[in-house]
Amino acid sequence: MTIPNSVRFAVIVILIITFVPALSLAQKPPITIDEFFNSVDFDALKLSPDGHSVVIGTTRADWDRSVFRHDLWLYRDAGSSLVQLTQSGHDTDPQWSPDGRWIAFLSERKNASGKPAGSEDSGDDDSGINQLYVISTSGGEALPLSQSDEEIHAFGWAPDSRALYFASRLPWNKQRKDAYKKDWKDVIQYRESERGDVIFSVDLNDAMARNVNAPATASPDPENKLSDVSPGARQVATTPWRVEQIVISPDGKRLAFVTSSISQRQEKVDEFEIYSIDLGGSSADHVVRQLTKNSAVEQDLYWSPDNRHIFFNVQVGDTSGPYRDLQPHLYWIDSVTGEIQQWSKDYVGSVNRYAVGGDRVLVAARQGTEVPLYYSSAPTAAFSKLTGWAGTYDRMSVAQHSPRLAFVYSSVERPTEVYLADSPDQLQNARPITAFNKLFAQRELPKGKPYRWVADDGTAVEGMLLYPPGKFEQKNLPMFTFIHGGPADADGNHFEADWYQWDRLAATQGWLVFEPNYRGSTGYGDKFLLGIVPQIVSRPGKDILAGIDALVKDGIANPDRLSVGGYSYGGYMTNWLITQTTRFKAAVTGAGAVEHVANWGNDDTTFDDAYFLGGRPWEAQQRYHDEAAIFQIDKVKTPTHIVGGAKDIRVAVLENYLLEHALSSLGVPNSLLIFPGEGHSLSKNPWHGKIKVREELKWLQKYGGVQQ
């Protein structure tokens, strides 16, 4: 039969109309593990004083050299251009000079002589210890402002842009260093050899002139009398503690700094305080005055434009009484009277970030699974929510002479990038100025949504569900319960792609990923966070198990295909949960304690450990026993994969060996990976994190029984 041309044409048109949408809706390829670990993180963001440029700090893997690169990038309005500002791969913590002409930063790069900065040994490594550098915003080479054998801990610009202040450990002369080395060889004097910091100032023009006139290989101290002191550095003040941050008042008359322990361990809360110095007169007249004396770990200082108040954030501890862990809140202190006020005290969520611009304060604050932006004009006023996108606002920076706002933003389905808005009131019209993670938008990503349930004691609890690509809101799915660390943290509507947060890879392999915000999580009020005390694992454990029961009851999770895992506090919880139930087919755990006595002794955050458990080991012996997985380890039947950093002191690596030994003695299938040279954050070698996740995914597939 012959088909008329008119009919044939109509059929072709119908086929085209039907087929073209099918092509356009064709599935994107899934993300691969190699692509996943090529993500870029943003560790710094500073908007120029005039609002027309942004300096951005990035962290990304250098697979050939087995290191993480830390680079600085500069965005300019002119031509909407983004250029790489520094090339060494060791550059962090950028700060604009107040006049906008310079960017100062810290770097572990080699110096002009080819030696690692601050290192006496040349070796094969191209990194040393942090020194202070400055680079012109017009381009050119970065110039060192410090040349010392001591690491620079913190720095800040003078308001007139003519000088910088920086802190490093109390310097020793060559004679004293040689005598110490002769006596002690390579022996470590724990505590006794520690010493506090000195705050110095350096004149910018003088330092630049020295760089131009001095030979690159010249010794900063030809007579070796004070080889740890940078040329031209003038001593301002000393402190018995380590200086974590330096900020100078807008009028230039006072300097404030915040301290931490010289051992970098959180053992005594009185080592973490805010101090001020009047900068008038000679250095001999600079008296250090302590402003705070409380049970909080203060951080992120910023002088108010009134030259009187100092803003700060508290992530750990409480400013108002005996030590207790609250959610992160925003405070300011009157530098004259010492009075501390909490901003928007009735706000139920946690303040993650803040920025001061003009007559108001902007905050990125978590409430539930969302982190929107708010503003307030007075400490007693409530936070007012700005109109923006659903998701998570993170780092942000305001301009001193412009209404513009730069920020980092992400959501479950929008990869993390840097955005620029003309004002905080124009958030929805903000434009991305980076595209480092655009590949993720070209891949089929999981979709997610919040999930709520009721715990055994009637408390409402919330978490996130991340569905396998193409299976959003389907039922009877194999489920991987992925537990966040902290515990003062939370999962929500944000994007993350690294060795710690690999939920997207698990979902891509077919798992429904359940991320519970158990008791102790932030974003749900101080009372909810404090609910973890003193039942450090049993209380959140009940919350998590109730969530799993609810998901099974709702038909969302397949009860025969349940697995569990987490790192750090998520590892604590995983180790505990496998002693409470045999329902999990597989477990993956990392850097999680199985007991609390040795962990209290080895941990670098011991005062919060004792707080969580209601006392030190000899003061709460029974609770240290009852809340420890090791004393119930004979109940474990779940095949368990374990990882740890060989140099971890946050959760000592011995905890991983203890768990492995216990499971092996019981005949429970297990595997232990130890990453050499790594601490708690696995920040030395990107291959370690990639191998970690690769093997964890294999373990889940092998024992969890997910069919792809």
Side-chain angles (χ1 to χ4, degrees):
M1 183 177 75
T2 302
I3 301 175
N5 288 338
S6 59
V7 175
R8 184 180 299 162
F9 176 77
V11 171
I12 292 173
V13 169
I14 292 171
L15 287 173
I16 290 174
I17 292 172
T18 305
F19 186 60
V20 169
L23 284 176
S24 64
L25 295 175
Q27 285 190 341
K28 300 175 183 178
I31 194 76
T32 68
I33 190 169
D34 290 336
E35 293 170 337
F36 183 85
F37 279 96
N38 280 327
S39 65
V40 175
D41 291 330
F42 301 100
D43 52 37
L45 178 67
K46 298 290 184 181
L47 190 57
S48 63
D50 65 5
H52 292 301
S53 302
V54 186
V55 62
I56 301 164
T58 62
T59 300
R60 51 183 170 148
D62 184 331
W63 302 108
D64 293 334
R65 296 169 57 218
S66 299
V67 297
F68 287 100
R69 288 188 59 89
H70 300 280
D71 298 307
L72 300 182
W73 301 76
L74 184 63
Y75 170 84
R76 295 182 185 275
D77 270 350
S80 298
S81 61
L82 180 68
V83 297
Q84 190 166 342
L85 183 66
T86 63
Q87 307 288 333
S88 79
H90 298 288
D91 307 323
T92 60
D93 303 301
Q95 290 189 31
W96 288 92
S97 62
D99 63 10
R101 297 176 57 199
W102 304 94
I103 296 171
F105 60 95
L106 297 179
S107 181
E108 296 178 346
R109 63 177 60 193
K110 286 184 178 180
N111 60 27
S113 67
K115 291 176 59 178
S119 172
E120 296 180 352
D121 301 315
S122 57
D124 295 326
D125 192 7
D126 65 349
S127 65
I129 59 174
N130 269 332
Q131 295 294 299
L132 179 60
Y133 285 77
V134 67
I135 189 169
S136 169
T137 56
S138 301
E141 293 296 322
L143 300 174
L145 299 187
S146 67
Q147 300 176 52
S148 169
D149 287 339
E150 292 293 345
E151 177 184 59
I152 306 302
H153 297 153
F155 73 93
W157 281 97
D160 61 7
S161 302
R162 295 179 180 178
L164 291 101
Y165 296 84
F166 65 87
S168 65
R169 191 170 63 159
L170 178 68
W172 278 359
N173 60 32
K174 185 177 186 300
Q175 182 180 3
R176 187 169 184 180
K177 288 195 293 184
D178 288 347
Y180 185 87
K181 187 174 183 179
K182 180 180 178 181
D183 286 345
W184 294 102
K185 310 302 183 193
D186 60 349
V187 175
I188 297 172
Q189 277 188 295
Y190 185 63
R191 296 195 195 280
E192 283 85 355
S193 64
E194 296 169 351
R195 56 190 193 266
D197 276 9
V198 177
I199 297 175
F200 297 96
S201 68
V202 60
D203 183 272
L204 179 61
N205 288 333
D206 288 350
M208 293 178 64
R210 276 189 298 274
N211 275 289
V212 172
N213 298 325
T217 57
S219 169
D221 177 29
E223 298 180 8
N224 288 315
K225 293 180 179 178
L226 287 172
S227 59
D228 285 352
V229 177
S230 294
R234 181 176 64 90
Q235 182 173 314
V236 175
T238 62
T239 172
W241 315 119
R242 178 187 172 101
V243 175
E244 289 295 329
Q245 187 186 3
I246 293 172
V247 290
I248 295 85
S249 61
D251 61 10
K253 295 181 179 180
R254 284 187 291 174
L255 177 151
F257 63 94
V258 64
T259 61
S260 67
S261 162
I262 51 179
S263 67
Q264 295 185 269
R265 292 172 178 260
Q266 292 183 357
E267 296 176 322
K268 299 177 182 178
V269 291
D270 58 5
E271 298 173 331
F272 301 83
E273 304 292 356
I274 301 174
Y275 299 81
S276 71
I277 304 168
D278 288 331
L279 294 176
S282 66
S283 60
D285 301 325
H286 292 161
V287 177
V288 176
R289 186 164 71 93
Q290 184 172 343
L291 298 182
T292 60
K293 190 175 182 180
N294 54 42
S295 298
V297 177
E298 300 90 351
Q299 61 182 33
D300 197 13
L301 306 188
Y302 188 90
W303 274 98
S304 169
D306 65 10
N307 290 295
R308 178 162 178 158
H309 291 87
I310 303 169
F311 288 92
F312 64 94
N313 184 268
V314 170
Q315 296 285 332
V316 178
D318 187 1
T319 65
S320 60
Y323 182 89
R324 59 177 184 158
D325 269 338
L326 303 180
Q327 296 184 116
H329 295 302
L330 177 65
Y331 303 85
W332 75 357
I333 182 170
D334 187 316
S335 63
V336 177
T337 67
E339 180 188 4
I340 294 175
Q341 284 183 284
Q342 179 182 333
W343 279 65
S344 298
K345 193 171 184 177
D346 293 333
Y347 178 70
V348 73
S350 61
V351 177
N352 296 351
R353 308 275 185 182
Y354 78 94
V356 181
D359 60 352
R360 60 182 179 177
V361 177
L362 303 177
V363 299
R366 174 179 294 281
Q367 190 160 0
T369 57
E370 299 287 324
V371 184
L373 289 185
Y374 301 82
Y375 72 90
S376 178
S377 299
T380 55
F383 286 146
S384 299
K385 187 177 179 181
L386 291 163
T387 301
W389 305 312
T392 295
Y393 291 83
D394 193 5
R395 296 182 183 275
M396 54 184 174
S397 179
V398 297
Q400 294 307 303
H401 308 299
S402 167
R404 283 187 156 183
L405 169 69
F407 58 89
V408 173
Y409 167 81
S410 72
S411 68
V412 167
E413 297 180 59
R414 289 179 67 175
T416 310
E417 299 291 356
V418 176
Y419 291 78
L420 185 61
D422 288 334
S423 74
D425 299 317
Q426 296 293 319
L427 286 181
Q428 289 182 309
N429 297 321
R431 62 186 185 280
I433 59 173
T434 65
F436 288 113
N437 294 310
K438 64 180 180 180
L439 176 67
F440 288 92
Q442 300 164 6
R443 297 294 180 263
E444 187 180 20
L445 297 176
K447 292 184 178 181
K449 69 175 187 178
Y451 180 78
R452 299 173 182 86
W453 68 97
V454 177
D456 59 298
D457 62 354
T459 300
V461 190
E462 184 179 48
M464 285 292 292
L465 294 178
L466 208 63
Y467 286 82
K471 296 185 178 181
F472 185 61
E473 295 188 327
Q474 289 191 17
K475 300 282 189 175
N476 199 37
L477 295 170
M479 188 171 78
F480 173 47
T481 299
F482 196 19
I483 307 169
H484 70 73
D489 198 356
D491 283 309
N493 186 9
H494 76 291
F495 191 94
E496 192 171 349
D498 53 37
W499 63 267
Y500 176 76
Q501 191 74 24
W502 46 276
D503 47 7
R504 282 160 180 78
L505 283 179
T508 298
Q509 286 205 355
W511 293 95
L512 168 69
V513 182
F514 171 43
E515 299 173 325
N517 289 337
Y518 49 82
R519 219 80 55 98
S521 300
T522 57
Y524 300 93
D526 288 335
K527 181 180 178 181
F528 186 87
L529 185 141
L530 292 168
I532 202 171
V533 179
Q535 299 170 310
I536 189 172
V537 288
S538 61
R539 178 62 268 168
K542 292 174 183 177
D543 290 349
I544 294 168
L545 291 175
I548 294 171
D549 288 339
L551 285 159
V552 169
K553 183 179 179 181
D554 289 346
I556 298 171
N558 183 336
D560 299 321
R561 290 288 183 269
L562 301 176
S563 292
V564 66
Y567 188 88
S568 190
Y569 199 82
Y572 277 62
M573 292 310 310
T574 299
N575 299 344
W576 172 259
L577 288 170
I578 59 176
T579 70
Q580 303 300 299
T581 178
T582 58
R583 71 178 71 183
F584 300 117
K585 304 300 181 184
V588 290
T589 182
V594 291
E595 56 77 48
H596 304 294
V597 177
N599 192 58
W600 173 85
N602 288 280
D603 191 354
D604 63 345
T605 59
T606 56
F607 53 65
D608 69 342
D609 283 349
Y611 163 75
F612 282 134
L613 286 159
R616 291 168 292 183
W618 53 92
E619 296 166 335
Q621 297 178 34
Q622 192 61 46
R623 193 168 296 116
Y624 273 72
H625 175 278
D626 294 347
E627 293 290 310
I630 192 65
F631 299 114
Q632 302 185 54
I633 210 76
D634 58 328
K635 301 176 184 177
V636 177
K637 305 297 181 185
T638 305
T640 303
H641 186 278
I642 313 161
V643 300
K647 292 187 176 181
D648 192 353
I649 60 171
R650 178 62 48 85
V651 180
V653 68
L654 67 88
E655 298 291 335
N656 301 293
Y657 285 113
L658 179 56
L659 176 58
E660 189 278 339
H661 191 186
L663 295 180
S664 294
S665 70
L666 294 168
V668 177
N670 69 87
S671 176
L672 172 61
L673 300 180
I674 300 295
F675 303 114
E678 295 284 8
H680 195 64
S681 62
L682 303 189
S683 59
K684 298 295 184 183
N685 186 338
W687 286 104
H688 292 158
K690 188 173 184 178
I691 290 170
K692 167 192 177 290
V693 174
R694 182 192 72 193
E695 296 307 307
E696 287 172 328
L697 288 169
K698 288 180 180 178
W699 192 267
L700 291 178
Q701 188 174 13
K702 178 179 180 180
Y703 291 100
V706 170
Q707 302 298 318
Q708 295 188 67

